[in-house]
Amino acid sequence: MAIKYRTFTGESAVEALKKAREECGDNAVCVTTKQIQAKSINKKPIYEVLISVEVPDTQPEVVQNPKIREYENYLEPKQRKFSVTEAPVSSPKVDDDVMLNISNQARQITAQNQEASQKPQASDIVVNRKIDDVAKQVNALSDKVGLIADMFWDERASSRNNLAIPPEFASIYKAASQSGMKSEHLEAIMQTTMQNMPPAMKANPTAVKRYFYSFLRNMLPCRKEFGGRKQRIMMLVGPTGVGKTTTLAKLAARFAYSGEKRYKVGIITLDTYRIGAVEQLFQYANMMRLPILDVIEVADFKNSIKRLSNCDIILIDTTGNSQFDKEKLNKLDNFLRNSDADIDVNLVLSAGSKVEDLMEIYNGFSFLDIDTLIITKFDETRIFGNVFSLLYETNTPVSYFSIGQEVPDDLLEAKSEFLVSCVLEGFEKGKK
């Protein structure tokens, strides 16, 4: 008889062993078990088992893989059995240690199987029983992994203000905590989630993730895009460098040419301090054949709005202001109060700013009665929990996300599921 080796994979070692038995029959003997892909928030774990099968000598001789020889040379006749008390609970590589013990346990049982198969009285029933023993050992070790995870999370509870996180919540908690979300917001959300989630769902990590996503989506205020015939006037305000002028050009192209319905769009610019910005906006307006007016004085602003009264949408660009520059902010407020028009104030903020800076900017501009937020520069950061905390704390609706520099393609109508996905999984261009 000759020995043939094959590998099988599955989301658990038991599943991989089951596949091996279904395809190779009861003569299959497990050689090694290892994890080849760790579990993450958007990937399932993958385990691989190496199986040896006896085949008749009449079949073509199987050329043994050098790696298999390494496996066989590495096999030890006996291994110390795994004990929960011996696992270093505080070690960050506890999962790797457990998987190594699983592999060693499988090697021990395989060696015993091979010794038994050399004896004349060995039978298929004995081999089958040994394979079943492997599955039982793997199941037992998996239970011990769960116990270790429980101990690990309980041990770290003091660092989370005594908020005990069950193992099934571990991955979602880790993703949210690394997103830049304020810790008090995360703890309040986790506490509410664990209290209100149906008990039957708490033991299923997939159900926990789905419930958590849904819970976060319902917490985010988003405002639907303009769809009526009434004239709408939108003023974009915010600090320097957040992309107000480019965002205004995207909005103009979106309303005038990109949507299902095309609107008459007019542009007013109050940003006469930056010559380059004014020239850029005039170039955009000329390319799109849209009327554009520049305004310096408050009295001229009121007349400019009247001159564009035939437009469905009027977009107003403003000078970038620091939240600490009270003189410029008061002048901007003066434009609004003397316009005799219903103006929608949109605060433009960069997704790359720290949550503390976002809150400070929001508070500095809040006296202008902000109607909505527009978040820009999604392509320049990898964490978005700061944006979530801003919306959660201010309860101000967001209307658009700017995800790149392309006009008008890189502007999305704000949707809560998109932002939650960015918070917990990160942003990728093309994910909308």
Side-chain angles (χ1 to χ4, degrees):
M1 299 290 286
I3 297 178
K4 181 179 180 181
Y5 294 90
R6 296 190 60 183
T7 58
F8 296 85
T9 59
E11 295 180 11
S12 68
V14 175
E15 181 180 334
L17 284 169
K18 184 178 179 181
K19 291 181 180 178
R21 290 187 61 187
E22 288 176 351
E23 187 163 334
C24 298
D26 294 335
N27 292 328
V29 177
C30 179
V31 177
T32 60
T33 303
K34 64 178 179 179
Q35 186 178 25
I36 60 175
Q37 176 174 292
K39 181 179 180 181
S40 65
I41 193 171
N42 57 359
K43 292 182 179 179
K44 296 181 178 179
I46 298 179
Y47 292 84
E48 180 186 87
V49 296
L50 179 66
I51 300 297
S52 66
V53 183
E54 289 187 350
V55 295
D57 291 332
T58 55
Q59 294 186 4
E61 184 178 357
V62 179
V63 179
Q64 194 176 40
N65 192 309
K67 291 186 177 180
I68 294 176
R69 296 195 190 96
E70 293 178 8
Y71 278 127
E72 293 180 332
N73 293 334
Y74 186 74
L75 294 180
E76 298 178 5
K78 291 185 179 180
Q79 294 288 343
R80 179 172 55 87
K81 289 192 175 181
F82 175 74
S83 171
V84 177
T85 58
E86 296 173 16
V89 174
S90 59
S91 172
K93 295 185 178 179
V94 62
D95 290 338
D96 292 339
D97 294 338
V98 171
M99 291 315 302
L100 179 58
N101 281 309
I102 292 174
S103 180
N104 291 339
Q105 190 74 8
R107 292 193 190 101
Q108 176 188 348
I109 297 171
T110 300
Q112 294 172 356
N113 285 342
Q114 290 175 338
E115 290 175 2
S117 65
Q118 295 173 0
K119 298 179 180 179
Q121 66 271 22
S123 66
D124 292 341
I125 297 177
V126 174
V127 174
N128 187 43
R129 187 174 63 250
K130 293 298 184 180
I131 293 178
D132 288 339
D133 289 342
V134 172
K136 290 178 182 179
Q137 290 286 347
V138 171
N139 285 332
L141 289 173
S142 296
D143 292 339
K144 291 175 183 178
V145 172
L147 291 173
I148 292 172
D150 281 334
M151 296 165 63
F152 180 69
W153 281 99
D154 288 342
E155 192 174 84
R156 292 187 58 189
S158 58
S159 65
R160 300 189 297 274
N161 297 326
N162 294 319
L163 179 63
I165 305 296
E168 294 79 13
F169 288 71
S171 61
I172 201 73
Y173 178 86
K174 181 180 179 182
S177 61
Q178 292 177 345
S179 70
M181 187 186 303
K182 293 183 72 172
S183 59
E184 56 265 35
H185 294 167
L186 175 57
E187 289 169 7
I189 292 168
M190 291 299 298
Q191 189 71 52
T192 304
T193 302
M194 290 187 289
Q195 289 176 353
N196 293 280
M197 180 179 291
M201 299 176 63
K202 291 183 179 180
N204 186 335
T206 302
V208 168
K209 180 179 178 181
R210 185 167 58 248
Y211 184 95
F212 194 76
Y213 268 63
S214 178
F215 186 75
L216 293 188
R217 286 197 300 268
N218 292 332
M219 295 175 62
L220 293 176
C222 296
R223 193 175 76 171
K224 291 186 177 181
E225 195 170 52
F226 165 67
R229 286 296 303 171
K230 183 180 178 181
Q231 186 185 59
R232 181 177 177 186
I233 306 175
M234 299 174 59
M235 176 182 282
L236 275 59
V237 302
T240 303
V242 295
K244 291 189 301 298
T245 301
T246 304
T247 301
L248 186 140
K250 293 176 183 176
L251 287 169
R254 181 183 182 90
F255 289 133
Y257 296 103
S258 300
E260 295 180 0
K261 184 176 182 179
R262 298 190 176 184
Y263 298 93
K264 293 182 179 179
V265 179
I267 299 174
I268 297 175
T269 176
L270 308 181
D271 189 2
T272 56
Y273 294 91
R274 292 189 306 145
I275 302 301
V278 175
E279 292 179 350
Q280 181 187 32
L281 193 56
F282 267 83
Q283 288 178 357
Y284 277 128
N286 290 333
M287 290 172 58
M288 292 183 281
R289 299 180 182 178
L290 302 178
I292 180 171
L293 304 173
D294 59 322
V295 173
I296 298 177
E297 301 298 332
V298 174
D300 296 332
F301 182 54
K302 184 176 179 179
N303 292 331
S304 296
I305 293 176
K306 288 182 178 179
R307 289 175 59 184
L308 297 175
S309 59
N310 65 319
C311 293
D312 301 314
I313 298 175
I314 300 176
L315 301 173
I316 304 170
D317 192 25
T318 63
T319 305
N321 296 325
S322 166
Q323 64 271 25
F324 306 116
D325 193 337
K326 299 300 181 183
E327 182 179 349
K328 288 185 179 179
L329 288 174
N330 288 333
K331 184 175 182 180
L332 191 57
D333 184 48
N334 198 25
F335 274 106
L336 287 168
R337 286 187 287 104
N338 292 280
S339 64
D340 290 339
D342 183 11
I343 298 178
D344 205 40
V345 179
N346 300 260
L347 177 60
V348 183
L349 298 169
S350 170
S353 302
K354 295 186 296 185
V355 63
E356 294 81 7
D357 294 336
L358 292 174
M359 288 302 308
E360 194 168 50
I361 294 169
Y362 179 89
N363 292 330
F365 281 83
S366 60
F367 77 100
L368 299 176
D369 295 328
I370 299 167
D371 293 287
T372 70
L373 303 175
I374 297 176
I375 310 299
T376 64
K377 301 191 177 183
F378 266 63
D379 56 325
E380 296 182 14
T381 185
R382 288 295 178 267
I383 59 172
F384 300 90
N386 53 341
V387 177
F388 178 92
S389 285
L390 173 69
L391 301 179
Y392 177 79
E393 192 158 316
T394 65
N395 200 34
T396 302
V398 59
S399 53
Y400 295 98
F401 297 134
S402 179
I403 62 172
Q405 297 298 315
E406 296 297 323
V407 178
D409 296 335
D410 290 342
L411 186 72
L412 304 180
E413 181 181 1
K415 294 182 180 178
S416 59
E417 54 266 28
F418 174 79
L419 180 56
V420 171
S421 176
C422 290
V423 170
L424 298 178
E425 300 178 16
F427 169 74
E428 293 181 7
K429 197 69 175 291
K431 178 177 68 174
K432 300 183 180 180

